[in-house]
Amino acid sequence: MKRILSGIKPSGELNIGGYGGALHQFVKMQHDFECFFFVPDLHAITVPQDPKELFQRSKDIAAFYIAAGIDPKKATIFIQSHVPAHVELGWIMETQVHFGELSRMTQFKEKSDGKDSVSSALFTYPALMAADILLYQATHVPVGEDQKQHLEMTRDLAARFNSRFEKTFVIPEPIIPTIGSRIMGLDDPTKKMSKSNPNKNSYVLLLDSPADIRKKLARAVTDSEMSVRYDWDNKPAVSNLIEIYAVFSGESTETIERRYEGQGYGGFKKDLAEVVVEKLVPIQERYRDIIDSDVLIRILKEGAMRASETAQITLVQAKRAMGFVTF
Ligand code: AMP
Ligand code: TRP
């Protein structure tokens, strides 16, 4: 049986980068896999979080899963901190990972760069991420490009544990989409689109109003040569916009290129905004319907129960393999 586990950190408002690399992939894949989609709140607190914001954003991510079209009857949707097995296996994984391996993680280097002090949890984060995945014996993990290195570490840790003790964990495969796995900033196509960018025009949030979406996409940087061509080496800014268009319309980049052949950027950018608005407005409506509802609470409670059942089985197997006294 093919099984997916993945999640989006509740560490800031969700933007269309996370939609392209993760959320939209989750929705597409739910029919072909048994799915676990979670809110990694324990990962969010590796950097300081305002309690009120963490509370709201954790609910937001769960609501967006449902609003974007994940069916809670089929997929298990839960909040990481509701399933304590993550912390327990996370600790076990910390005993298996080496200091040197963690030191090579580019995400840690980026996030700690220039900071006076960072939490030790930011450093050990990949061990917890490995635990998240291995607890569910996930065969596949859909993520954006930036998580590839963490996935490789998860595979190494699973293999190391299996050979050191006994075969306990499935070795998971990453699924990195060819289109949408690395959406870049609207102001600078060399930097990943990110909510931590102080320039608000560099990203489109999933909850931005249609007027803001239109304004931000109209202002997006382009390239000097005036043709709509998908060519990352020579036209990164326009290629990024074509990729966003492809994610939101479901069309191929070739189809989009052909449609705008011989035309300038004006019409293309206007249409792009409409494609994004058309997709996001119904998601925003469904989000507003469920964000403060009992339905969301019920889904998350049931999700945590279902997730715990699966996670507990793996945790006990791992502990037994290591020599812990278990009954
Ligand atoms: P995060 O919000 O950092 O937890 O990211 C959630 C998921 O979205 C992960 O799978 C990331 O790889 C993916 N992601 C985040 N930012 C982007 C981006 N700019 N382009 C594509 N995928 C992204
Ligand atoms: N580290 C991921 C991110 O920053 C979030 C995450 C935590 C995750 N645990 C995971 C993603 C397990 C996939 C599977 O985006």
Side-chain angles (χ1 to χ4, degrees):
M1 185 185 34
K2 292 194 296 179
R3 187 183 276 173
I4 274 180
L5 174 121
S6 196
I8 300 174
K9 274 198 314 281
S11 52
E13 288 171 89
L14 201 52
N15 68 38
I16 58 171
Y19 182 82
L23 189 51
H24 145 83
Q25 304 299 331
F26 299 174
V27 176
K28 282 204 299 197
M29 285 168 185
Q30 63 177 328
H31 308 293
D32 302 322
F33 294 85
E34 182 189 359
C35 294
F36 290 85
F37 295 119
F38 79 129
V39 181
D41 53 350
L42 296 166
H43 284 266
I45 60 165
T46 54
V47 295
Q49 297 293 335
D50 173 75
K52 281 203 192 76
E53 283 182 3
L54 180 67
F55 179 86
Q56 186 60 41
R57 284 172 182 163
S58 298
K59 281 177 40 186
D60 277 358
I61 299 285
F64 273 124
Y65 286 160
I66 301 158
I70 294 170
D71 178 356
K73 287 198 200 74
K74 285 202 201 129
T76 301
I77 298 174
F78 66 101
I79 294 185
Q80 184 184 27
S81 61
H82 294 177
V83 182
H86 288 251
V87 180
E88 213 173 334
L89 189 65
W91 174 255
I92 290 176
M93 286 298 139
E94 278 189 48
T95 68
Q96 301 304 304
V97 70
H98 306 150
F99 190 90
E101 290 172 314
L102 291 171
S103 314
R104 287 193 286 276
M105 294 294 113
T106 48
Q107 187 170 310
F108 175 74
K109 287 192 219 163
E110 279 165 21
K111 290 199 171 176
S112 57
D113 190 35
K115 299 242 165 67
D116 287 341
S117 65
V118 293
S119 75
S120 56
L122 186 67
F123 186 65
T124 56
Y125 175 121
L128 181 60
M129 179 158 165
D132 299 336
I133 296 166
L134 302 179
L135 273 178
Y136 298 90
Q137 306 287 17
T139 55
H140 295 83
V141 184
V143 280
E145 182 70 35
D146 60 350
Q147 296 302 313
K148 204 171 156 192
Q149 201 186 22
H150 291 158
L151 248 294
E152 274 157 19
M153 167 159 293
T154 302
R155 289 167 58 82
D156 290 347
L157 289 180
R160 185 175 302 164
F161 189 101
N162 287 350
S163 75
R164 224 176 243 178
F165 303 104
E166 60 190 63
K167 192 175 174 321
T168 306
F169 299 122
V170 168
I171 315 249
E173 297 281 344
I175 301 183
I176 297 174
T178 40
I179 295 293
S181 68
R182 199 169 156 74
I183 306 250
M184 310 310 273
L186 299 177
D187 58 338
D188 178 356
T190 63
K191 292 210 186 84
K192 191 182 90 160
M193 182 178 284
S194 159
K195 50 229 165 184
S196 56
N197 188 324
N199 176 4
K200 287 192 168 29
N201 288 323
S202 70
Y203 50 74
V204 171
L205 298 174
L206 256 50
L207 284 177
D208 272 345
S209 67
D212 280 346
I213 297 172
R214 292 189 180 103
K215 193 180 70 195
K216 288 180 178 182
L217 288 170
R219 285 194 189 154
V221 295
T222 43
D223 309 279
S224 50
E225 185 218 340
M226 291 297 278
S227 65
V228 179
R229 206 153 42 76
Y230 188 65
D231 173 358
W232 274 100
D233 290 336
N234 299 306
K235 296 177 68 69
V238 171
S239 300
N240 188 40
L241 296 181
I242 295 179
E243 224 168 292
I244 296 172
Y245 198 128
V247 164
F248 280 89
S249 67
E251 294 175 314
S252 69
T253 53
E254 291 85 4
T255 306
I256 298 163
E257 265 183 328
R258 239 177 285 128
R259 179 169 316 135
Y260 295 98
E261 208 177 318
Q263 298 180 39
Y265 296 140
F268 165 70
K269 281 166 98 181
K270 266 210 183 82
D271 291 354
L272 167 63
E274 293 319 308
V275 165
V276 174
V277 165
E278 204 176 294
K279 193 86 188 187
L280 288 187
V281 165
I283 294 178
Q284 295 178 351
E285 281 166 5
R286 284 194 293 272
Y287 161 88
R288 291 197 179 97
D289 284 345
I290 50 177
I291 185 63
D292 291 316
S293 72
D294 292 344
V295 178
L296 182 61
I297 297 171
R298 213 169 347 108
I299 290 170
L300 289 174
K301 280 190 175 165
E302 202 188 308
M305 261 162 33
R306 289 206 313 241
S308 294
E309 280 172 25
T310 304
Q312 202 55 34
I313 293 172
T314 313
L315 179 64
V316 170
Q317 276 172 6
K319 289 172 77 174
R320 205 170 277 155
M322 290 183 92
F324 280 95
V325 177
T326 56
F327 297 114

